[in-house]
Amino acid sequence: MKYVRAWFYPLALWALIPIFLAADDLHAWSYLPLVIIAFLLALWVGWHRQQSLNFSAWFRNPYTSLPPLAGGMWEETFAEGYHWRRDQEAQHRQLSAQIVQLRDALQAMPDVVVLMDERGQLLWVNPSGIRLLQLQWPDDAGKPLAFWLRTPHLRAFLAGEGPPSLQLPAPADAQQILEGVRYPLADAGALVIFRDVTRIRQLEQVRQDFVANVSHELRSPLTVVRGFLENMLDSPIAADDEVSSQLRLMEQQTLRMQSLVEDLLSLARMEAAEANPEHCETLMIATMIHNTLDTLAPAIMQKRLQIDTALDGDLGIFAETIGLTSIIRNLLENAIKYTPADRAVKVRWERRSGDLRLVVQDTGDGIAAEHLQRITERFYRVDKGRSRRMGGTGLGLAIVRHAVERYQGHLEVTSEVGKGTTFTAHFPLHLARSFPSDSAVS
């Protein structure tokens, strides 16, 4: 049909010539030059149409290499098409080789690699995933990953609404622990990678047990030492100024060690497990914040700080009292400690569309960007000299982070050098509880 359409107009014009030759009226012969011109134009258009069809047929045929012979402007067109097609074929071969290399690398990985679509259904999984997740591949393709893994918070994690990482026992071996990380893809769907962290978890447990046991064993001797120091300070031996100053210095260092031991024990408790619902109760955060600020009033008054609060008095949370008290106290102490005199500290407790937020913002010197990723590590200090002068154990923010993570939340830290730092504790929305009151606390 393409060839018929290409030559239809030339043939139609060719058929008009006998009609004009057979005409009796000589006046009809005056149209003959126009007919001839139209005929030649039709031939010219038909020739170009034929070359176009030849080019299209050659270009769409993957089994032809050299283009057919052509003349005029079409010779250059065929040559350009040939070079473009050759470049595309070379790029296609290179891309195919890279895809094969990537597939071989993913298949050789000991980690589980899972590719999902936007609905959470399996598109592809590597051999390690088939083995560790006990999948029947390819029969299980197109099924949701949560169909095999019965783990709390898994659906929220796969949907990108839960924590950034998730640990779960492997279906093939309950003693084997897998840690998953989800990476969203630009064209919908996600890539999920599960790593075997069993050995890391075992070493972490050994470390936690060691710290907890050592801290517990240190508590009793320190209590005895402090008791004797207090007795000595109350005895006549403290009448000597030099002896008294030495005893008070010993008492200060003993108190510092006791504080460090208590923080280590608190951190060990926070790391042990998730919050136990049996130990949780409905807490009024606004009241807890004001009570904590009352206990910190001497430090606030000494530095003449302004405390700006915006607290939702109707909003409570279902949590453990000890954990929430540690979070509030450590964040407020940190903000007061690092805010210079005559400046402000802002505190907010609010409900947002996706979570609950406790925000503590200071107006201190701020933290440089290279330190933000490590600021919540144990004993990490941005300015070691300044931190030692100001005291503290270096565990406060680590305790806050672990305490928040016990409730499947996370601690966000943002800072700008010279303007201050903002700590935001995000809690899941399902922990929210209501406290009917006349008005919000502010």
Side-chain angles (χ1 to χ4, degrees), residues 256 259 334 337-338 381 383-395:
R256 183 181 176 186
S259 178
N334 186 78
K337 181 188 299 182
Y338 292 104
R381 298 179 184 271
D383 185 346
K384 295 180 174 59
R386 180 168 176 260
S387 297
R388 288 196 179 95
R389 290 194 306 270
M390 304 183 75
T393 61
L395 293 173

Side-chain angles (χ1 to χ4, degrees), residues 39 158 228 317 423:
F39 176 72
L158 295 177
F228 279 115
I317 188 172
F423 294 89

Side-chain angles (χ1 to χ4, degrees), residues 218-231 254 258:
L218 286 174
R219 175 190 278 179
S220 298
L222 286 172
T223 303
V224 174
V225 170
R226 184 183 175 187
F228 279 115
L229 285 173
E230 291 177 349
N231 291 335
T254 303
Q258 279 190 319

Side-chain angles (χ1 to χ4, degrees), residues 57-369:
W58 165 76
F59 194 79
R60 294 177 181 275
N61 189 349
Y63 302 104
T64 58
S65 177
L66 295 176
L69 297 177
M73 61 176 292
W74 284 98
E75 182 178 1
E76 183 179 353
T77 302
F78 274 90
E80 291 294 332
Y82 170 73
H83 291 298
W84 183 88
R85 181 173 169 180
R86 187 176 60 181
D87 293 340
Q88 292 296 313
E89 290 175 350
Q91 293 179 10
H92 184 269
R93 288 193 297 269
Q94 182 181 5
L95 181 60
S96 299
Q98 292 176 350
I99 291 175
V100 171
Q101 294 174 355
L102 178 61
R103 182 194 61 191
D104 294 341
L106 292 176
Q107 289 182 341
M109 286 180 62
D111 301 334
V112 178
V113 181
V114 178
L115 182 63
M116 305 185 308
D117 62 13
E118 63 276 6
R119 295 177 296 177
Q121 297 177 346
L122 292 180
L123 297 178
W124 183 84
V125 62
N126 66 340
S128 297
I130 297 174
R131 175 176 53 84
L132 291 176
L133 301 181
Q134 293 186 328
L135 302 178
Q136 301 295 326
W137 199 258
D139 297 337
D140 292 336
K143 298 179 182 178
L145 187 61
F147 182 80
W148 296 275
L149 305 178
R150 308 288 182 173
T151 304
H153 314 294
L154 178 62
R155 293 185 182 275
F157 165 72
L158 295 177
E161 301 171 354
S165 62
L166 182 69
Q167 292 189 357
L168 68 158
D173 183 5
Q175 301 298 321
Q176 190 174 14
I177 305 300
L178 302 178
E179 182 178 40
V181 181
R182 180 184 181 276
Y183 300 97
L185 301 179
D187 55 348
L191 181 70
V192 182
I193 298 179
F194 290 96
R195 301 188 63 187
D196 184 359
V197 294
T198 306
R199 179 60 177 168
I200 297 176
R201 281 289 301 274
Q202 291 174 348
L203 294 175
E204 184 70 12
Q205 188 62 46
V206 170
R207 182 195 62 78
Q208 291 178 9
D209 293 342
F210 172 77
V211 172
N213 292 334
V214 170
S215 302
H216 183 74
E217 293 299 325
L218 286 174
R219 175 190 278 179
S220 298
L222 286 172
T223 303
V224 174
V225 170
R226 184 183 175 187
F228 279 115
L229 285 173
E230 291 177 349
N231 291 335
M232 295 175 69
L233 285 170
D234 293 335
S235 66
I237 194 175
D240 187 289
D241 292 339
E242 183 177 356
V243 174
S244 177
S245 62
Q246 293 175 354
L247 290 176
R248 293 196 179 280
L249 180 59
M250 293 170 64
E251 184 185 35
Q252 291 176 1
Q253 297 303 316
T254 303
L255 289 173
R256 183 181 176 186
M257 282 194 80
Q258 279 190 319
S259 178
L260 177 60
V261 168
E262 293 299 328
D263 284 348
L264 286 172
L265 289 173
S266 297
L267 186 57
R269 264 196 319 270
M270 300 299 176
E271 293 177 324
E274 293 184 0
N276 188 351
E278 297 181 358
H279 300 159
C280 294
E281 59 182 315
T282 301
L283 303 174
M284 190 173 184
I285 299 299
T287 302
M288 296 178 67
I289 291 174
H290 280 290
N291 292 339
T292 305
L293 289 174
D294 289 341
T295 62
L296 298 174
I300 297 173
M301 296 177 63
Q302 181 181 2
K303 301 178 75 173
R304 300 179 301 280
L305 299 179
Q306 177 183 349
I307 308 297
D308 297 330
T309 58
L311 312 176
D312 188 346
D314 297 336
L315 180 61
I317 188 172
F318 187 71
E320 295 177 336
T321 304
I322 296 178
L324 263 294
T325 302
S326 297
I327 294 172
I328 294 172
R329 185 173 186 88
N330 279 292
L331 287 179
L332 291 177
E333 284 183 343
N334 186 78
I336 292 170
K337 181 188 299 182
Y338 292 104
T339 299
D342 300 316
R343 293 193 184 180
V345 174
K346 298 180 181 179
V347 186
R348 299 200 315 270
W349 168 246
E350 59 191 1
R351 181 205 302 262
R352 288 297 181 93
S353 58
D355 55 16
L356 309 176
R357 297 184 184 181
L358 173 62
V359 183
V360 179
Q361 180 181 3
D362 65 50
T363 52
D365 297 333
I367 303 171

